[in-house]
Amino acid sequence: MAVPLSFPIPIPPALLHAAAALALAAFAHFLHLPSLFLYALHTYIHPDAVPSNTPRAVLRPPGSDAGQGKGSSKRGGGAAAKDAFDATSAQLYRLRLSHTTLATRPHFGAYHAAFLLPLALLPPALLLPPLAASPLAPLVPAAYLFVALLRHIVVPSPRPAQLAAALGALLVATLCSSSPFAGALASLAALPAARFARAFWLGTDQPRTGLAVLASSAPARLILYLAVLVSSVASILRCCGFVGAAEQEVRLLAAAAGLQLLAARPAVQMYLNEAVFCWYQRLHVSRTPDTEYGRAKVFLHNHHLCAVATQLVAPPLLVLSLLALWRVQGKDFFEGVEGLDWLVGWSVAMKEAALLAARWVVAVWSTVTVITLVCYKRGWLFVL
């Protein structure tokens, strides 16, 4: 007697994508992968704010003694005691970042979600076959990163010059791209690019400070240089028409975004080191060091750590999300599906808009970065 053959029930593509995304989200969340990206970076605080049970390293100006200021103050009298400089206020404690310390910073939830959503939703969209991947999954991290950039672009509060640069980038990107969507999206990369250029300037020791605490490792400097170089080359080749096929441009943009993401880690460290640089400057600028400015600078950079980290990682993650959206969209997905034929044109339009927006985010990021570095090189901008 013949036994009928049984075939396994096929798993719907949407369910497969959802299961993979949930598994990746749980994996990234429980392993604290967003915090692991910033693990072992160093932040700085003043002595009066250091927890007593926290391992730390002490940073002092060259030749200073922690107890010298107090001793001279006790021995001196009158005006001498009043003018004596207390060296204990001229030292910083260096703390190593971990998930516990990062979780206490403001805006940690926004930074965590900015990393978690792409980690959960983009790998299935990139690794699964295009027909098995959800066509709207990359849209979720792209929308969140857009909102995160829009929310944190003014945290810390930018100077009027920075706001003018952002508005100028919005106008130029909108006019040149002939797309309000792409122009508005790309203009959000202007201020993070200017912040990255500031970190690049310090990370590659362009001011020639010679301070060991500001020194970057050779791999970190290489990544900083490659991020600027590859992003600029990608924009120049596309502008000159040397990139023909869309697949070639997508690979180039993905390489640029990947290097920008890798460079975000040393850029965050340079943002924290910038407070130390300004602290050293204020200690040696005159006979009466302005320790209050240095104290405020260190506090603000420590306080806004997660907001700045979100600014630096959001543009490359946004580009990767848009490229993933380009990959899973297209006429083949909805073509032939009864009742959904009207979505074919919408899907093709979204595919082209995603690639255009990714192209302009990289272009604005690289242009603003290079222009800002030129301004630092010419002496028109300073790290204060």
Side-chain angles (χ1 to χ4, degrees):
M1 181 177 179
V3 179
L5 298 177
S6 59
F7 295 95
I9 300 176
I11 301 176
L15 183 60
L16 181 63
H17 194 139
L22 288 176
L24 286 173
F27 178 79
H29 176 73
F30 287 112
L31 290 185
H32 306 304
L33 291 186
S35 300
L36 192 62
F37 182 75
L38 300 179
Y39 179 76
L41 296 184
H42 294 101
T43 187
Y44 306 92
I45 57 178
H46 276 275
D48 55 2
V50 180
S52 59
N53 58 347
T54 304
R56 53 195 179 271
V58 182
L59 301 179
R60 300 188 183 94
S64 68
D65 186 4
Q68 181 180 356
K70 288 186 176 180
S72 60
S73 176
K74 291 179 181 178
R75 290 191 297 267
K82 183 179 180 180
D83 295 335
F85 174 59
D86 187 1
T88 57
S89 63
Q91 62 183 16
L92 294 176
Y93 286 104
R94 184 173 62 187
L95 306 179
R96 178 173 293 183
L97 290 176
S98 64
H99 175 71
T100 304
T101 55
L102 283 170
T104 62
R105 300 295 189 275
H107 308 292
F108 173 75
Y111 166 74
H112 191 79
F115 236 111
L116 191 64
L117 287 175
L119 284 176
L121 295 174
L122 295 189
L126 295 174
L127 299 178
L128 292 177
L131 293 180
S134 173
L136 297 180
L139 191 61
V140 176
Y144 179 83
L145 290 167
F146 172 77
V147 174
L149 274 175
L150 198 62
R151 179 184 176 188
H152 294 95
I153 209 69
V154 293
V155 180
S157 299
R159 301 181 179 90
Q162 291 178 323
L163 284 177
L167 293 176
L170 172 61
L171 180 62
V172 172
T174 303
L175 293 178
C176 294
S177 66
S178 68
S179 170
F181 166 73
L185 198 63
S187 65
L188 293 178
L191 285 180
R195 188 177 296 282
F196 176 84
R198 192 181 181 95
F200 179 95
W201 186 254
L202 288 177
T204 55
D205 196 22
Q206 299 299 321
R208 301 294 187 266
T209 61
L211 297 176
V213 69
L214 298 180
S216 299
S217 63
R221 291 195 301 270
L222 178 62
I223 291 175
L224 290 172
Y225 278 110
L226 285 177
V228 177
L229 181 62
V230 174
S231 300
S232 302
V233 168
S235 301
I236 292 173
L237 290 180
R238 181 63 183 84
C239 183
C240 296
F242 291 109
V243 180
E247 290 78 9
Q248 297 177 353
E249 184 182 6
V250 167
R251 294 191 188 98
L252 197 56
L253 292 175
L259 286 170
Q260 291 176 18
L261 184 61
L262 291 178
R265 176 181 163 87
V268 171
Q269 182 63 75
M270 285 304 110
Y271 167 76
L272 296 171
N273 289 353
E274 180 187 334
V276 181
F277 177 67
C278 297
W279 177 73
Y280 266 84
Q281 281 185 322
R282 292 290 170 165
L283 285 179
H284 298 283
V285 73
S286 65
R287 292 180 178 272
T288 57
D290 186 4
T291 57
E292 292 302 322
Y293 177 87
R295 183 185 298 269
K297 191 78 171 176
V298 171
F299 170 78
L300 288 176
H301 280 236
N302 187 26
H303 183 76
H304 294 302
L305 166 61
C306 289
V308 171
T310 304
Q311 290 182 13
L312 291 172
V313 303
L317 289 176
L318 179 60
V319 172
L320 293 176
S321 301
L322 291 170
L323 295 179
L325 188 63
W326 173 86
R327 181 179 183 272
V328 300
Q329 292 292 339
K331 64 179 181 180
D332 294 334
F333 193 89
F334 294 107
E335 192 173 12
V337 180
E338 186 177 356
L340 296 180
D341 292 337
W342 62 276
L343 289 176
V344 173
W346 176 83
S347 181
V348 173
M350 179 174 287
K351 184 183 183 73
E352 297 302 322
L355 181 58
L356 179 64
R359 177 189 307 156
W360 275 99
V361 169
V362 173
V364 169
W365 189 94
S366 60
T367 302
V368 174
T369 299
V370 172
I371 291 176
T372 307
L373 289 176
V374 170
C375 291
Y376 279 119
K377 186 69 174 180
R378 300 292 296 178
W380 298 333
L381 289 176
F382 302 94
V383 178
L384 299 174

